[in-house]
Amino acid sequence: MKIATFKLSLDHHAVIVSPHCDDMAFSLGGSLLGSSLGPNPLIVNVFNVTFFTRIESEYGNIELTTRRRKNEELRAGAKVGAQTLFIDLAEYMIRNPDATLERAFNPDFIPEQDPVFKRVLKALLALHNQHPDAHWLFPLAVGSHVDHIIVRNVGCYILSELPDSRIGFYEDLPYAAVHPADRMAEHASKLAGVGLQPVRLGIQPAVKKIELLMTYESQVGVQEVKALLDFHSRVAYETVWTAGKSLGLFIAR
């Protein structure tokens, strides 16, 4: 991890912390396509060492699958005008070879007990300390994926330790389509010690978001497309929950 030597461009306005490749597009793809998060956003991808893919011939091959998914993330980032940074940590199923997919979704998971938590905290805190004026967006962990919970709690830690920081949280899609995001926001507010306020972001038409998601050909299937189309037929926006100075990202937009 070459976090200590990485420098954000001065014109990065928002930093989106994405647990896995494709999370930023699922959750904020419409806002990014519509430039609702300012110019030249940065995507920080945390758990991008992976073996999960819909392409059967590569399932289980960490090196090939990781390379494929990173390339997909880079292409998607280019489509929304974003720079992409990989921290190169292993996803839950690789860190825990005996785990089942069901155990990767656990609302009772305590992230601080996972040895990788300190590594994520160190990496993201170092980046944030170097660039405290950027607006940082973390997942709310709607859906309770353990990797999302780890990243969310790091965001909560930074906000609780640095209450003037520009920290916000986005609603994880497609999970947020079927899980109560406001309940997750209330939980995150307690962790951070500050109330979070919802902000609705205008997005490009859902079909444009689907076109962006299809960049992830090894991940996105009919089920995910249908879920997002159904969600955005009812909800014509994406939501972030913000506190403190992070509200400045959305004022007058």
Side-chain angles (χ1 to χ4, degrees):
M1 296 186 300
K2 297 182 179 180
I3 299 300
T5 60
F6 182 79
K7 300 295 182 182
L8 296 183
S9 300
L10 292 178
D11 56 354
H12 281 311
H13 198 51
V15 179
I16 299 166
V17 185
S18 180
H20 309 105
C21 294
D22 72 22
D23 283 321
M24 71 88 177
F26 268 117
S27 299
L28 294 171
S31 303
L32 289 164
L33 287 168
S35 301
S36 296
L37 298 176
N40 305 314
L42 174 72
I43 311 300
V44 179
N45 198 283
V46 181
F47 299 108
N48 53 275
V49 177
T50 176
F51 60 51
F52 183 80
T53 175
R54 294 181 181 277
I55 300 175
E56 187 176 354
S57 62
E58 292 189 8
Y59 189 84
N61 188 310
I62 296 174
E63 181 179 354
L64 290 176
T65 304
T66 296
R67 184 186 308 126
R68 175 183 288 274
R69 292 192 64 178
K70 288 174 75 171
N71 286 335
E72 292 172 347
E73 184 83 335
L74 288 169
R75 291 199 302 272
K79 290 180 179 180
V80 299
Q83 181 180 344
T84 303
L85 169 68
F86 299 101
I87 296 183
D88 289 328
L89 293 175
E91 64 182 352
Y92 174 78
M93 296 293 287
I94 294 177
R95 300 195 309 271
N96 301 273
D98 296 330
T100 63
L101 184 59
E102 289 75 16
R103 289 175 58 189
F105 297 86
N106 179 7
D108 299 319
F109 174 71
I110 302 175
E112 292 79 5
Q113 294 180 355
D114 190 315
V116 81
F117 180 84
K118 290 184 178 179
R119 298 184 65 188
V120 178
L121 176 61
K122 181 179 179 180
L124 295 181
L125 190 58
L127 274 175
H128 183 271
N129 287 345
Q130 289 176 13
H131 308 281
D133 293 331
H135 295 272
W136 289 70
L137 295 175
F138 293 81
L140 263 181
V142 177
S144 300
H145 190 293
V146 297
D147 288 344
H148 288 233
I149 293 174
I150 288 172
V151 177
R152 179 200 65 199
N153 279 31
V154 167
C156 289
Y157 175 88
I158 295 174
L159 184 54
S160 64
E161 293 297 309
L162 303 170
D164 288 333
S165 58
R166 294 172 168 87
I167 302 292
F169 300 84
Y170 57 84
E171 295 183 353
D172 322 52
L173 287 167
Y175 309 120
V178 294
H179 291 279
D182 55 346
R183 191 165 63 192
M184 294 295 102
E186 180 181 0
H187 181 57
S189 296
K190 292 179 180 178
L191 290 172
V194 61
L196 301 176
Q197 303 177 47
V199 177
R200 294 178 176 179
L201 299 178
I203 64 173
Q204 289 288 296
V207 64
K208 296 293 186 182
K209 183 173 179 177
I210 296 301
E211 290 175 0
L212 175 66
L213 282 169
M214 296 313 295
T215 305
Y216 302 92
E217 58 186 2
S218 72
Q219 300 298 304
V220 178
V222 174
Q223 181 178 355
E224 290 80 12
V225 169
K226 285 184 176 179
L228 277 179
L229 284 175
D230 176 68
F231 176 75
H232 284 303
S233 70
R234 296 177 284 107
V235 181
Y237 51 82
E238 293 167 341
T239 303
V240 295
W241 294 77
T242 64
K245 291 186 176 179
S246 64
L247 284 171
L249 171 62
F250 311 103
I251 293 175
R253 287 195 178 277

